[in-house]
Every structure is written in structure tokens, then in C-alpha cells.
Amino acid sequence: MRAWNDICSGKSDPNLVIPGGKTFLLWPVQFYGPCKPSQIYVEVSGRIVAPRIDDYGSNHLDCWIGFWRVNELTVKGNGQIDGQGAGWWEAYTSAMGFYGCDNLLLQGLNFINSQRNHISVAGSNGAAISHLTITAPDESPNTDGIDISHSTNVRVSDCTIGTGDDCIAFGDQTSQVFVKGVACGPGHGISIGSLGMNGGSAQVEEIHVDSCSFKGTQNGARIKTWQGGSGYARKITFNNIKLNNARNPIIIDQFYCPHRTDCQSLKSAVQISDVSFTGFSGTSATDNAIKLSCSETVGCTNISLEHIDIKSASGDENTYSSCINAHGTARKTFPHLRCLK
């Protein structure tokens, strides 16, 4: 913290280095800006390890390593961030968070076993995230790879993510996000949402996912919203997707209720529109390979599917599609989408 204070105040060169060849046990720490230098650099070459849950006592925070209002921040290196999350994956602590950090560059790090989600980006305009490796056991709950919310102009590329929850999830107030070259698996896929929880209003648009793969995931390309929400999720594209034994390769779920308790049937819903799925190929672990379950009252509009070829991972060509109140077009799609209005 003394080093950070010197850097942020401009008393020393704006470079914070975590040296290689060493392991550092780090208690929860928050780095606050704004800073005087126009750019701040954090180089992580060593290994940073979180305390185990029994050592935290009452020091539970939303984020283990947090950066707040630090613009033009670069965090990169070949080091490792180890959250030692086993035993408390139901907690609410992210491993690393960036809050209000415009023009962020995050590159090269290896994240393992986060306490909850590995990386959070919120309230930020402009972020480039690339060449990360993010790993947690497939049975570890809530260990999302990258969560992005209340942010715009974000690019995620060339990452390998295998966790117990969403590889990447896009939350409310998010737009202009471009994802390319992400290998996902295990995990719950790349997800828009969940949106509209507790009657909330969502504004999500211009999310574009290209040239990604799903291997052994619970979902592939997913949009999930709760009953009773409002607002919109629109102008979303999933292109050039490779599937290997992925469950639910294409899924819109407007009846999202993960714990299957107190699930409600309500008239209002997030409006889903202008969504395209193009160039999907590979195998599905579920026979219902395409599932478009839209609100019975609001429905989904202008849904486009083209050049889809999803066969059964068991070797049988018995995959099928299902729809609820989904409107759009399908061209050169297998399984066929006769249910699309």
C-alpha cells in the first residue's frame, strides 16, 4: 500500500511490480484512485495467494483485490492469482475487481480457484482483456470467469476459461462488448444475464461473440432473464461457434429460476430482440440442442439462426429444437426450427 500511495500520488514512477519467483500471501486490499500520473502499470510476475476462509475472520469484502477509479490502468504479466476458494464458493468475494476504471488493460495472468467470480469489471468505459487463463473445478459454484456490468466498449480476446459457472457473463447496463477467441469449458457457457431479477429493468445491447468454443459446458450461447423484469436485451450476435459435447448449445431462457424454488409466472419480462446465432457446428450433450423459451406475454422478436449444424454427441442425429413465443427466421439450420414463428 505504501508503494501504491507513492505511485498514485506521483511521488515515484507509476510502476508497481510483484516480482517473479516468489509467493505472496495477501489480505484483502483495495487500490483507490484517481491517480496523478496519466497511466499506471502493475506487473504481476509472482504468485499472489489469498488467505483461507478461516483466516479472514470478519474481513469479508465484495472484492479481494480491488481497483477503484483508476483510469488508464494496465495490469499484466505471467503471474498467478490464487483465491484458494475451496470451502467458501458460496461467499460474495470476487478475486479481482475493476470499478470505474476507464481504459483498462488486463493481460496475461493466470487466475485459479476464486472465492466467487474471478474477475469483475463494473462502471468502466473502455477495457481490453486478453490472454488470460482462468481455472476452477467444474463443481465449484458461482466461480464465473469474467463478469461485466454497467460498462461499455469492452473487448475480451484469446482467453481460456474453465470454471464452475459462466465463463463470461454480461450484466445490466452493458453495451458495445466484443468477445473473440475464447475457449470455454467446463462451465455454464457465455451468458447474457441473468437480467430482470426482483423486477429489475435491464438495458443490454450490442454484445458480439465471435470465434469461440464450448467443450463439456452446461450451456453454450445463452440469454437468461427472470420473470417479472423489464427493459431490453437486443442487438446480440453469436458467430462462428464450435461445440464439443456441450449441453444446451443455443438457449434463450426467460423462465430463469436456478434453484427451482418460489419460481413465479409473471406477465412482464425483459424484451429480447435482434439476436442472431450464425455458424454453429459440433455436438450437443442434450437432444434439445436449440431451446428458445421466451416470455409467453412479451415474446422474443427478430431472432435469426443461420448455418447451424448441431448433432448429438452420442452419435445419433436425434437433436431437436423447441420454442415458446419466439419470432424470427431460420436458414440452413439443423436441427430444424419448425417451431419458430
Side-chain angles (χ1 to χ4, degrees):
M1 289 305 301
R2 287 195 299 271
W4 175 261
N5 290 335
D6 284 349
I7 290 168
C8 190
S9 65
K11 292 181 180 179
S12 64
D13 290 338
N15 300 289
L16 180 64
V17 178
I18 293 85
K22 297 182 179 182
T23 297
F24 299 89
L25 177 65
L26 184 64
W27 289 86
V29 62
Q30 309 300 309
F31 299 105
Y32 290 100
C35 296
K36 285 188 176 180
S38 59
Q39 294 180 309
I40 298 288
Y41 300 91
V42 179
E43 179 182 336
V44 183
S45 298
R47 180 170 177 249
I48 300 175
V49 178
R52 296 189 180 277
I53 185 170
D54 293 340
D55 297 328
Y56 265 75
S58 60
N59 293 317
H60 290 194
L61 298 172
D62 290 339
C63 185
W64 169 35
I65 304 172
F67 295 89
W68 301 77
R69 300 180 299 279
V70 183
N71 294 336
E72 304 291 344
L73 170 66
T74 294
V75 180
K76 67 178 184 178
N78 59 3
Q80 183 182 84
I81 310 295
D82 184 355
Q84 296 208 96
W88 61 320
W89 278 312
E90 296 291 344
Y92 290 91
T93 300
S94 303
M96 184 173 286
F98 302 91
Y99 309 102
C101 297
D102 294 347
N103 299 322
L104 165 72
L105 175 63
L106 175 62
Q107 185 180 81
L109 298 180
N110 176 16
F111 291 80
I112 65 170
N113 297 331
S114 173
Q115 303 91 331
R116 192 174 171 92
N117 58 311
H118 289 77
I119 299 166
S120 291
V121 177
S124 301
N125 178 16
I129 301 170
S130 68
H131 297 93
L132 304 182
T133 301
I134 303 174
T135 308
D138 59 0
E139 71 275 9
S140 57
N142 304 313
T143 53
D144 292 16
I146 304 171
D147 287 350
I148 301 169
S149 66
H150 297 83
S151 297
T152 187
N153 296 317
V154 179
R155 293 182 180 273
V156 182
S157 62
D158 302 311
C159 295
T160 300
I161 305 174
T163 70
D165 212 303
D166 294 324
C167 290
I168 305 176
F170 307 101
D172 192 21
Q173 302 284 338
T174 300
S175 64
Q176 299 293 336
V177 180
F178 302 88
V179 177
K180 188 171 184 178
V182 171
C184 173
H188 293 187
I190 295 179
S191 298
I192 313 297
S194 62
L195 304 174
M197 185 178 181
N198 297 324
S201 177
Q203 292 85 38
V204 175
E205 63 182 337
E206 298 286 3
I207 309 295
H208 304 288
V209 179
D210 187 20
S211 302
C212 294
S213 64
F214 299 101
K215 182 177 181 180
T217 53
Q218 288 194 20
N219 306 280
R222 176 165 67 155
I223 302 174
K224 50 180 177 175
T225 74
W226 295 78
Q227 289 274 289
S230 62
Y232 56 82
R234 64 193 183 193
K235 300 178 183 177
I236 298 164
T237 62
F238 291 92
N239 297 325
N240 304 316
I241 304 298
K242 302 297 183 184
L243 306 164
N244 184 346
N245 198 35
R247 300 172 63 86
N248 304 310
I250 296 175
I251 178 169
I252 296 177
D253 181 7
Q254 293 213 265
F255 303 88
Y256 183 70
C257 185
H259 301 296
R260 301 302 173 192
T261 58
D262 299 322
C263 298
Q264 297 177 301
S265 179
L266 301 171
K267 291 185 178 180
S268 63
V270 176
Q271 171 69 63
I272 296 175
S273 65
D274 306 311
V275 180
S276 71
F277 303 92
T278 307
F280 280 61
S281 64
T283 57
S284 172
T286 49
D287 292 341
N288 191 178
I290 302 175
K291 187 183 297 184
L292 308 179
S293 298
C294 301
S295 165
E296 294 175 332
T297 53
V298 178
C300 306
T301 58
N302 197 24
I303 308 301
S304 171
L305 296 96
E306 188 170 355
H307 296 290
I308 309 294
D309 184 14
I310 306 174
K311 295 182 171 62
S312 172
S314 66
D316 300 323
E317 293 190 9
N318 59 350
T319 53
Y320 67 92
S321 302
S322 65
C323 309
I324 298 174
N325 204 12
H327 302 253
T329 60
R331 181 173 178 268
K332 295 184 179 179
T333 296
F334 185 88
H336 303 300
L337 265 166
R338 298 183 180 92
C339 60
L340 190 64
K341 298 181 180 180

